[in-house]
Amino acid sequence: MRIGRWLKRAVIALMTLLVLLSGGIWLFLRASLPQLDGQVSAAGLTSGVAVTRDSLGVPTITARNRSDLAYATGYVHAQDRFFQMDLLRRSAAGELAALFGAPALPLDRIRRLHRFRARAAATLAGLTTIDRALLDRYAAGVNDGLAALDARPFEYGLLRTRPVPWRAEDSLLVGWAMYFDLQGNFGRKVGRAWLQAHTTPEQLAFLLPQSSPWDAPLDAPAIAESPPAIPATAPDWYGQATDRAAAAAPDDADVGSNNWAVAGSRTGHGSAIVANDMHLGIQLPNTWYRAVLIFEDADGTRRRLVGVTLPGLPALVAGSNGHVAWGFTNSYGDTFDLVALQRDPDDAMRFRTAGGWKPIERFDERIDVKDGPGETMPVYETPLGPVWQLGAASYAMHWTAHEPGALNLGMMAFERADDLTSLLDAANRAGMPAQNIVAGDAKGNIGWTIAGSLPNRRWRPAGSFPYPSTEPDLDWHGLLDAADYPRRVDPPDGQLWTANARQLAGSSYERLGDGGDDLGARARQIRDDLFRLGKTDERQAYGVGLDDRAVFLSKWRDRILAALTDEAVSGHAERAEFRRLVRESWTDRADVDSVGYRLVHDYVGELYRQLFGSLDKALDHAFGGGTTSLRGSNSRWAFVLERLDDEKPPGWLPKGKNDWHEVELAAIDQVVATLSQDGIPLAKASWGHRNRAKIMHPFARILPFLAYWLAAPEDPLPGDGNMPRVAGPSFGQSERMAVAPGHEDLGLFTMPGGQSGHPLSPYFLAGHAAWVQGLPTPLLPGPAEHRLGLVPR
């Protein structure tokens, strides 16, 4: 009896402790939610600022001047998204280990090569007085917003640390974080160098085509270049049997973005319509933070900016200023050179150039490590860029991101552009990763150019390969002058589009270069969709981004059905079922219920593995896993695959195969076997079963037991690569937008996740379901449900 009483008391005590602990955690989490209503006094404001929020948590920030608006933008960014901002600045500077400990050291070491913290300090010192003051006011708002929370953001509680205050230069680091995200495929030229050394010139030209029949440039119906002939024989490394686990299939659902515009001559209201969906890795919270920003210029002109911001920056990134609207896609211009250094055998601190020996300078970078000893990392830098040591080879990383002027606040000029020309001029002067910008104004004009930094080369290495430091005239003349940027304005058909593919067929393309241009199938499909629209409106323009028709894969379906002859399926029940499903469960779309789409998609991946899996394994062995691959070296790999399967050259048969029909059937059989090993019956292998959302907060990946609170539902997602509706489990359309300047009330918008990065906020996933379902919702916020006033202290 006594033991029973003690056991009962112990159970009650334990339950009480758990309740108290849970309550304490809940109270701590609640305390880090922002204040949405009332008044807050703020130092440095010249007048009051109003912050209203609608049912989705989208703020409208109204200020009397730009300085107060910057402060208030920083305030709301910090309260809703500070941890995201912290990760961006730390990832660019190589300071993640100070937050996460030793597991983050490998990435920190890679990022420290670029010394962006030091570059940020130098760039900050060179800003104009106005720009510097704007960053200072933004930083003040960030720190005041963070301090106004009753508890530190919940992530820091889990990490048992406190957030580090924001500094003005941290906003510049956010810009360099986007350089890494958009231009950080340094392995591309490493892979191309390996291919150059292990193929004949003819083989190399075939494997690395500079265009494809899918291309849809802005200045011609197609690229007129004829593809190189397939050589009689394949390289020695080609088509060898390899472990499937060592040769993953490529996935084109992680390439993006799309933008397009139609001229006012094709709209009912006469204003241009601009649409944009920027494709990025998707997690919680989302990359973008929606906002309406209202302020007055010094002359009293009222400005209203509508669209998306990037937490960490005081600017509107994409959207409309009432006169002009704009959106971005990654240009994939050739902005990075890999220069093989010939180092002096008697003095490792210098290297040879055509003009003689040049010095190598050493910098010691201190990397702090949470709960562990820090380390001092030597970084070697040449006049061409930092030294990247790959095995015994030394390379200088000559990248536009290192150039003076590569980062500035030029994007801030977009918000005051009153017409298309002034917007495009500002885009050419902006210091940012080089992007395709498509814009349109309220007068109906539309235009394309490059926004951001391009290298001003004396010459361009043919085919974008590494070259030796002894090559004459290899130095850049800094960055390309804004007057030399290519531009296309008001085409006769009244439409423009980009989708990461080759933009131009003419000689102006040489100013951009190929830094990884996409295949072109997505761009062509968008172009053709726009032609079919004719006279249009925002809803129809928005709908182009939801086009999940399988234009690219339909040709592969035809190839599969041609291979699955009656003779090929006779006596093979699985092949017969495969053929039936490809025929009957094919909706001509990347539809979540389509089995046929998945089977065709998986077949292409398996065929790639059979032909090029041994290459990817060799590249992994040479440079380390994940550094590069054929896909990483050549974004047109699918065109190479198409040509091999169509032309069926006998000299390119994989090892052990007698004919191409045998190769095709082997790929089909392996798809069936893989599904069987995974316990998935062919008839149940739908695209939605494979393509399910994996969108979550970073902590849900580190601590899976938190996924219930920190992850979005695992919804099946329509869409894929090589079509406008790009969708992968954790990559895809980070926003969808269609807007006409001056008619923002007709604009449409959705994005994954919600405004807040806090799982207890009602805005954590607000609006996410509409994004999953492809439902257009208004760009402008709804009626105000919360009102917060920031008043001068």
Side-chain angles (χ1 to χ4, degrees):
M1 293 291 291
R2 184 174 296 176
I3 294 175
R5 285 197 301 271
W6 280 108
L7 183 60
K8 183 178 180 180
R9 291 174 183 172
V11 170
I12 292 173
L14 179 61
M15 292 180 64
T16 302
L17 180 63
L18 289 174
V19 170
L20 291 173
L21 181 62
S22 299
I25 293 173
W26 185 84
L27 288 172
F28 172 77
L29 291 174
R30 291 286 302 173
S32 59
L33 286 170
Q35 178 182 344
L36 302 180
D37 296 285
Q39 283 195 346
V40 176
S41 62
L45 287 181
T46 61
S47 60
V49 178
V51 181
T52 63
R53 284 181 169 90
D54 72 350
S55 61
L56 297 179
V58 178
T60 297
I61 306 175
T62 305
R64 291 291 299 273
N65 56 63
R66 195 61 184 84
S67 175
D68 287 350
L69 179 65
Y71 174 92
T73 304
Y75 191 97
V76 299
H77 277 171
Q79 293 221 316
D80 279 334
R81 301 282 193 91
F82 184 81
F83 185 69
Q84 174 190 6
M85 298 164 60
D86 195 11
L87 292 186
L88 286 171
R89 65 173 171 177
R90 288 178 181 273
S91 66
E95 297 170 353
L96 290 167
L99 191 63
F100 294 106
L105 271 173
L107 180 57
D108 275 1
R109 292 178 186 132
I110 292 171
R111 297 292 170 88
R112 282 297 178 99
L113 285 175
H114 304 273
R115 302 181 59 249
F116 281 137
R117 173 67 72 181
R119 296 181 198 277
T123 299
L124 187 71
L127 291 180
T128 65
T129 302
I130 293 174
D131 286 350
R132 173 61 191 266
L134 201 67
L135 288 187
D136 285 340
R137 290 305 295 153
Y138 179 81
V142 170
N143 291 324
D144 286 354
L146 185 63
L149 298 173
D150 291 335
R152 57 193 160 168
F154 77 93
E155 294 94 343
Y156 299 95
L158 292 174
L159 290 168
R160 297 176 292 106
T161 189
R162 305 199 69 81
V164 175
W166 195 261
R167 297 189 288 181
E169 58 263 38
D170 291 337
S171 290
L172 299 174
L173 288 171
V174 169
W176 271 304
M178 297 309 292
Y179 263 101
F180 278 121
D181 200 3
L182 299 167
Q183 297 182 359
N185 181 16
F186 305 126
R188 179 175 184 269
K189 292 196 176 181
V190 174
R192 294 169 80 87
W194 191 95
L195 284 168
Q196 192 175 41
H198 293 83
T199 57
T200 66
E202 295 76 19
Q203 292 167 345
L204 188 68
F206 164 62
L207 291 167
L208 303 179
Q210 297 185 34
S211 63
S212 88
W214 292 101
D215 279 314
L218 297 173
D219 57 345
I223 307 292
E225 302 166 0
S226 299
I230 302 178
T233 58
D236 292 339
W237 48 257
Y238 169 84
Q240 299 179 16
T242 187
D243 180 8
R244 296 186 75 255
D251 190 350
D252 268 345
D254 63 351
V255 177
S257 309
N258 306 321
N259 61 7
W260 56 96
V262 290
S265 59
R266 291 177 51 181
T267 69
H269 44 54
S271 177
I273 296 175
V274 175
N276 187 204
D277 50 88
M278 296 179 279
H279 306 166
L280 295 167
I282 300 176
Q283 60 182 10
L284 298 178
N286 185 30
T287 300
W288 311 114
Y289 186 86
R290 294 179 65 182
V292 176
L293 308 177
I294 301 172
F295 69 101
E296 292 181 10
D297 276 337
D299 62 1
T301 302
R302 187 175 185 270
R303 302 282 182 180
R304 183 179 72 164
L305 316 176
V306 182
V308 294
T309 65
L310 177 62
L313 294 174
L316 188 78
V317 174
S320 173
N321 68 8
H323 301 282
V324 192
W326 66 92
F328 295 111
T329 71
N330 199 5
S331 70
Y332 286 96
D334 190 9
T335 59
F336 169 75
D337 284 348
L338 204 57
V339 185
L341 299 178
Q342 181 181 333
R343 299 179 85 156
D344 186 347
D346 298 321
D347 182 0
M349 295 303 291
R350 64 179 193 163
F351 70 102
R352 186 188 295 276
T353 71
W357 295 102
K358 299 290 183 182
I360 299 175
E361 193 172 0
R362 172 175 170 155
F363 299 89
D364 288 330
E365 290 282 313
R366 176 68 184 175
I367 303 179
D368 294 326
V369 180
K370 180 176 178 285
D371 298 330
E375 65 176 51
T376 298
M377 173 182 164
V379 174
Y380 300 95
E381 191 157 322
T382 75
L384 299 175
V387 177
W388 185 18
Q389 196 70 33
L390 274 175
S394 297
Y395 295 96
M397 305 177 78
H398 201 185
W399 187 18
T400 53
H402 301 142
E403 292 287 326
L407 205 63
N408 59 35
L409 295 191
M411 183 184 285
M412 302 293 295
F414 294 7
E415 60 195 39
R416 289 183 168 89
D418 290 330
D419 56 30
L420 177 70
T421 300
S422 58
L423 187 285
L424 298 182
D425 288 345
N428 296 153
R429 295 190 297 267
M432 55 184 283
Q435 302 289 290
N436 295 303
I437 184 169
V438 164
D441 65 20
K443 299 174 185 176
N445 303 299
I446 58 173
W448 162 87
T449 188
I450 296 296
S453 305
L454 291 172
N456 184 17
R457 287 186 168 91
R458 288 192 177 100
W459 70 302
R460 182 175 299 281
S464 299
F465 295 98
Y467 54 89
S469 60
T470 52
E471 192 74 40
D473 295 326
L474 60 83
D475 288 345
W476 296 351
H477 288 292
L479 298 176
L480 189 66
D481 187 79
D484 294 327
Y485 277 54
R487 185 178 294 193
R488 184 146 175 84
V489 175
D490 290 333
D493 53 18
Q495 63 181 50
L496 290 168
W497 62 93
T498 75
N500 314 114
R502 181 168 170 174
Q503 307 95 326
L504 300 170
S507 59
S508 294
Y509 178 68
E510 287 300 312
R511 302 179 206 169
L512 309 181
D514 181 358
D517 288 337
D518 192 35
L519 174 68
R522 183 160 41 92
R524 176 172 288 268
Q525 195 162 335
I526 291 171
R527 181 199 67 182
D528 294 348
D529 283 348
L530 293 173
F531 277 134
R532 282 191 290 269
L533 287 183
K535 199 91 168 180
T536 191
D537 58 21
E538 285 83 350
R539 186 168 293 270
Q540 290 179 314
Y542 179 93
V544 171
L546 299 175
D547 181 4
D548 57 6
R549 291 177 302 119
V551 175
F552 170 73
L553 273 192
S554 65
K555 297 179 182 295
W556 282 103
R557 175 178 180 258
D558 295 341
R559 296 181 182 104
I560 290 171
L561 292 177
L564 288 171
T565 61
D566 290 343
E567 181 181 1
V569 303
S570 178
H572 295 273
E574 294 88 352
R575 289 182 188 171
E577 177 70 351
F578 195 102
R579 181 173 70 172
R580 184 187 71 81
L581 290 168
V582 169
R583 279 177 174 169
E584 299 175 9
S585 184
W586 174 267
T587 60
D588 200 34
R589 295 181 177 274
D591 183 86
V592 295
D593 296 323
S594 175
V595 174
Y597 185 88
R598 176 176 181 174
L599 296 182
V600 174
H601 177 279
D602 289 1
Y603 167 83
V604 175
E606 184 54 45
L607 188 62
Y608 174 94
R609 264 191 290 255
Q610 288 200 24
L611 303 185
F612 297 110
S614 55
L615 169 61
D616 289 351
K617 184 177 180 180
L619 291 170
D620 273 356
H621 178 74
F623 303 112
T627 301
T628 190
S629 62
L630 175 62
R631 181 198 178 281
S633 305
N634 169 28
S635 297
R636 300 184 182 94
W637 64 268
F639 175 46
V640 174
L641 207 64
E642 286 179 318
R643 293 193 63 196
L644 287 173
D645 200 45
D646 287 343
E647 299 181 40
K648 297 178 170 45
W652 287 74
L653 281 168
K655 305 296 187 292
K657 295 294 190 291
N658 297 310
D659 58 53
W660 280 95
H661 193 209
E662 183 182 351
V663 175
E664 294 165 336
L665 294 178
I668 291 168
D669 292 344
Q670 186 57 59
V671 171
V672 174
T674 300
L675 291 170
S676 178
Q677 291 164 12
D678 294 340
I680 306 172
L682 270 182
K684 300 291 185 182
S686 67
W687 178 240
H689 183 276
R690 184 187 193 277
N691 200 42
R692 302 187 75 87
K694 298 288 184 183
I695 300 171
M696 58 189 70
H697 189 285
F699 276 23
R701 301 183 190 278
I702 301 170
L703 304 170
F705 65 89
L706 294 176
Y708 177 82
W709 297 278
L710 294 177
E714 293 190 6
D715 297 298
L717 300 175
D720 191 14
N722 289 314
M723 60 179 58
R725 191 171 188 169
V726 168
S730 54
F731 186 95
Q733 297 170 319
S734 64
E735 48 74 45
R736 304 185 191 109
M737 177 177 63
V739 59
H743 300 275
E744 289 77 14
D745 56 315
L746 301 176
L748 300 170
F749 185 93
T750 52
M751 75 177 191
Q755 287 290 100
S756 175
H758 199 300
L760 294 187
S761 169
Y763 310 129
F764 185 58
L765 288 173
H768 178 77
W771 174 83
V772 171
Q773 297 166 29
L775 301 175
T777 58
L779 172 65
L780 290 179
E785 295 191 354
H786 298 281
R787 291 176 172 81
L788 179 69
L790 303 179
V791 298
R793 185 177 302 166

